[in-house]
């Protein structure tokens, strides 16, 4: 049902209907924002990256083929925009990361967990671009390996290798803390 | 199972990527090897931590502002029509056959140049011999016209021999 609605909206967008584009965006924006946030690490940047990607998507809508998945097409644009953003940011070296507090834990455990999450974010920053994006999409956003492969234009086996290496590197960096907290 | 082999498969176990027998073998190893079990625990901890790394839930006001900003960006971009147009779906023309034909033509040209480079090609040879051919034809016609004069073929032969003798005596003179 959603796919039919999505198809109709895409047709309208192709005729220049901006409202249809806004409706199409509203179907995906929260998940897309989550991915952006995971990659860039803070709300403001995530918002900027998502908006840049959506403007690109609107411009390129004419190239979108109806038999393709809009979700993977949009995420491909999103990931490429986020990559460009990260490269630009790496040149400027002004990374700021925020973290969402997990209120389901006791205060003591929450602090430990928050620290660990912060350490995890720092460790994720040290990963290569492909390892970082593949790991985030798979283990933070829970996406399927095949979808990730389509988004980053490679084979599923390559995605698995990126993730395997990412996990290995993260484990190596976090081992002292993981051991300490049990 | 060796620890070296087991550790390579720990992540695959968390993803459920191992076959039944391979997973069983690894689990048996983990039951008996504390170090590998510890490694497995760490990997699971990293993945669990990552899965809890959620984006904050943004309030409706955030999305209202987001939509407004996006609309403004689209309008702003549209005001510069050179940079903002919904590009029509491009019909991709498969140029492979064209490239293949062009490559083949280039190859044939190269080969013919290599084989006949500097030497006149058959058509050029034909063109050059056209003039000679016309001359030969005219000569034959002249000869046959002459031949018509002589009813007796022997007289013609005598005439030819006579001509040869004249030519021969001129050449030797």
């Amino acid at each position: 049902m959603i796919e039919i609605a999505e198809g109709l909206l895409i047709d309208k967008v192709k005729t220049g209907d901006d409202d249809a584009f806004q409706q199409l965006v509203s179907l995906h924006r929260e998940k897309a924002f989550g991915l952006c946030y995971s990659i860039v690490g803070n709300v403001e940047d995530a918002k900027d990256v998502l908006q840049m990607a959506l403007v690109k998507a609107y411009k390129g809508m004419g190239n979108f083929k109806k038999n393709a998945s809009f979700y993977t097409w949009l995420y491909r644009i999103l990931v490429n925009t986020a990559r460009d953003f990260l490269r630009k940011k790496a040149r400027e070296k002004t990374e700021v990361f925020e973290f969402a507090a997990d209120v389901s834990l006791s205060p003591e455990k929450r602090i430990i967990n928050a620290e660990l999450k912060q350490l995890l974010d720092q460790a994720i920053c040290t990963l290569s671009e492909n390892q970082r994006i593949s790991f985030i999409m798979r283990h933070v956003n829970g996406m399927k390996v095949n979808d990730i492969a389509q988004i980053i234009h490679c084979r599923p086996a390559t995605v698995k290798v990126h993730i395997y290496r990412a996990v290995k590197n993260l484990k190596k960096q976090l081992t002292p803390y993981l051991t300490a907290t049990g | 199972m060796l620890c070296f082999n087991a550790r390579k498969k720990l992540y695959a176990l968390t993803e459920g990527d191992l076959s039944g027998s391979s997973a069983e073998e690894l689990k048996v190893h983990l039951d008996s090897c504390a170090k590998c079990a510890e490694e497995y625990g760490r990997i699971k901890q990293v993945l669990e931590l990552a899965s809890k790394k959620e984006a904050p839930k943004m309030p409706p006001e955030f999305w209202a502002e987001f939509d407004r900003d996006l609309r403004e960006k689209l309008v702003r971009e549209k005001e510069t029509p050179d940079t903002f147009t919904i590009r029509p779906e491009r019909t991709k023309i498969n140029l492979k056959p064209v490239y293949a034909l062009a490559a083949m033509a280039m190859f044939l040209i190269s080969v013919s140049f290599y084989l006949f480079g500097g030497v006149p090609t058959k058509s050029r040879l034909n063109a050059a011999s056209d003039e000679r051919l016309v001359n030969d034809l005219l000569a034959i016609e002249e000869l046959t016209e002459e031949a018509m004069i002589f009813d007796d073929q022997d007289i013609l032969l005598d005439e030819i021999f006579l001509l040869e003798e004249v030519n021969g005596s001129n050449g030797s003179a």
Side-chain angles (χ1 to χ4, degrees), chain B residues 37-136:
Chain B
E38 201 180 331
E39 280 292 295
Y40 183 59
R42 284 183 190 136
I43 289 173
K44 285 210 309 189
Q45 243 186 306
V46 169
L47 299 182
E48 201 184 317
L49 208 57
S51 68
K52 286 181 182 169
K53 188 179 169 320
E54 286 175 349
K57 287 274 173 201
M58 304 314 289
E61 303 85 61
F62 172 86
W63 290 114
E65 192 191 328
F66 181 90
D67 285 344
R68 200 174 52 244
D69 286 356
L70 180 62
R71 200 171 292 124
E72 278 173 16
K73 278 183 184 172
L74 293 178
V75 168
R76 213 166 34 239
E77 292 274 350
K78 273 184 167 178
E79 283 168 0
T80 51
D82 287 348
T83 59
F84 194 91
T85 47
I86 296 181
R87 292 188 292 271
E89 198 165 329
R90 281 176 293 185
T91 315
K92 283 191 178 173
I93 301 164
N94 189 1
L95 292 172
K96 278 183 185 174
V98 179
Y99 292 143
L101 281 172
M104 198 183 289
M106 286 294 287
F107 175 75
L108 289 173
I109 289 166
S110 308
V111 168
S112 63
F113 187 79
Y114 174 75
L115 292 175
F116 306 109
V119 179
T121 58
K122 196 177 178 184
S123 59
R124 277 191 288 156
L125 278 170
N126 287 342
S129 66
D130 278 354
E131 198 179 353
R132 203 174 59 210
L133 194 69
V134 170
N135 291 336
D136 288 350

Side-chain angles (χ1 to χ4, degrees), chain A residues 13-14 16 18 21-22 25 29-30 33-34 37-38 43 47 50-51 54-55 58-60 62-65 100 102 113 116-117 120-121 124 135 138-140 160 163-164 167 170-171 174-175 178-179 181-182, chain B residues 7-12 14-15 17 38-39 42-43 45-47 49-58 62-71 73-75 77-78 83-90 92:
Chain A
V13 177
K14 284 186 176 184
D18 289 358
F21 184 68
Q22 292 276 1
V25 166
R29 68 183 180 192
E30 291 195 27
F33 178 79
Y37 178 83
S38 303
V43 170
K47 183 185 159 192
L50 181 56
Q51 286 194 341
L54 290 172
V55 170
Y58 185 78
K59 280 176 162 183
N63 291 332
F64 175 72
K65 289 192 172 56
D102 187 347
N113 230 36
L116 262 178
K117 279 184 180 175
L120 176 69
D121 278 316
I124 287 173
F135 177 82
R138 177 74 193 99
H139 289 293
V140 178
K160 283 184 182 177
I163 300 172
Y164 174 81
V167 170
L170 293 174
K171 180 177 66 68
L174 296 175
T175 287
L178 295 174
T179 314
T181 56
Chain B
R7 289 186 190 188
K8 283 196 290 184
K9 294 179 181 173
L10 294 177
Y11 173 69
T14 65
E15 287 283 84
D17 283 347
E38 201 180 331
E39 280 292 295
R42 284 183 190 136
I43 289 173
Q45 243 186 306
V46 169
L47 299 182
L49 208 57
S51 68
K52 286 181 182 169
K53 188 179 169 320
E54 286 175 349
K57 287 274 173 201
M58 304 314 289
F62 172 86
W63 290 114
E65 192 191 328
F66 181 90
D67 285 344
R68 200 174 52 244
D69 286 356
L70 180 62
R71 200 171 292 124
K73 278 183 184 172
L74 293 178
V75 168
E77 292 274 350
K78 273 184 167 178
T83 59
F84 194 91
T85 47
I86 296 181
R87 292 188 292 271
E89 198 165 329
R90 281 176 293 185
K92 283 191 178 173

Side-chain angles (χ1 to χ4, degrees), chain A residues 59-170:
Chain A
K59 280 176 162 183
M61 193 61 89
N63 291 332
F64 175 72
K65 289 192 172 56
K66 273 187 97 176
N67 55 355
S69 157
F70 180 73
Y71 148 80
T72 47
W73 181 78
L74 177 66
Y75 274 41
R76 193 179 300 153
I77 295 172
L78 197 63
V79 166
N80 287 336
T81 309
R83 276 178 202 258
D84 292 343
F85 180 85
L86 287 176
R87 283 173 197 160
K88 194 179 166 192
K89 204 168 185 180
R91 284 197 292 272
E92 292 167 2
K93 291 187 178 176
T94 55
E95 294 195 17
V96 180
F97 284 87
E98 297 171 358
F99 305 100
D102 187 347
V103 289
S104 64
L105 300 167
S106 67
E108 195 180 314
K109 190 84 178 170
R110 204 183 305 161
I111 291 165
I112 294 166
N113 230 36
E115 284 172 356
L116 262 178
K117 279 184 180 175
Q118 193 165 354
L119 289 167
L120 176 69
D121 278 316
Q122 286 169 359
I124 287 173
C125 285
T126 66
L127 299 175
S128 74
E129 207 174 86
N130 280 328
Q131 285 178 25
R132 180 181 187 171
I133 288 170
S134 302
F135 177 82
I136 286 171
M137 285 199 278
R138 177 74 193 99
H139 289 293
V140 178
N141 291 71
M143 291 163 71
K144 289 175 185 168
V145 170
N146 285 346
D147 287 346
I148 300 170
Q150 278 186 36
I151 291 166
I152 64 170
H153 265 297
C154 65
R155 290 183 305 157
T158 311
V159 172
K160 283 184 182 177
V161 171
H162 287 320
I163 300 172
Y164 174 81
R165 287 179 179 156
V167 170
K168 199 175 163 188
N169 288 331
L170 293 174

